[in-house]
């Protein structure tokens, strides 16, 4: 399972905000924004600060992408 923050960066574009603006309004470091850009894991508290500062919900900035099964190209079932 992978996490995508493309929704966050699309939201920034829609709001005419740059990554440095996000750092300022959400009080997150440039290193954290770099992690988000790379799809790396970040703490839920960071995502909470971003949501509160952008007045949005978590699903507006994060998307969970299920892994595909190599045999048939369908998402794996969680057991």
């Amino acid at each position: 399972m992978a996490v995508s923050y493309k929704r966050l960066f699309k939201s920034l574009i829609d709001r005419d905000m740059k990554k440095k603006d996000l750092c300022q309004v959400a009080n997150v470091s440039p290193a954290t924004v770099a992690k988000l850009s790379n799809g790396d894991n970040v703490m839920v508290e960071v995502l909470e600060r971003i949501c509160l500062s952008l007045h949005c919900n978590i699903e507006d900035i994060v998307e969970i992408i299920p892994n595909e099964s190599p045999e048939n190209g369908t998402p794996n079932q969680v057991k």
Side-chain angles (χ1 to χ4, degrees):
M1 194 166 11
V3 177
S4 171
Y5 301 104
K6 289 181 182 179
R7 291 179 179 180
L8 168 62
F9 295 108
K10 182 179 181 326
S11 178
L12 293 180
I13 291 168
D14 292 345
R15 296 166 189 255
D16 197 28
M17 291 178 69
K18 298 182 189 300
K19 291 177 182 178
K20 68 177 183 174
D21 298 327
L22 178 64
C23 290
Q24 293 173 345
V25 298
N27 193 29
V28 296
S29 70
T32 299
V33 174
K35 284 184 176 183
L36 292 165
S37 296
N38 294 328
D40 294 338
N41 293 329
V42 295
M43 293 177 42
V44 175
E45 289 81 7
V46 171
L47 299 175
E48 179 185 17
R49 278 201 313 266
I50 292 171
C51 288
L52 291 173
S53 64
L54 296 180
H55 307 286
C56 66
N57 294 315
I58 190 92
E59 63 269 12
D60 298 328
I61 63 169
V62 177
E63 180 180 10
I64 305 297
I65 302 171
N67 292 335
E68 290 189 2
S69 172
E71 300 87 40
N72 57 15
T74 59
N76 285 335
Q77 297 286 329
V78 177
K79 296 179 184 177

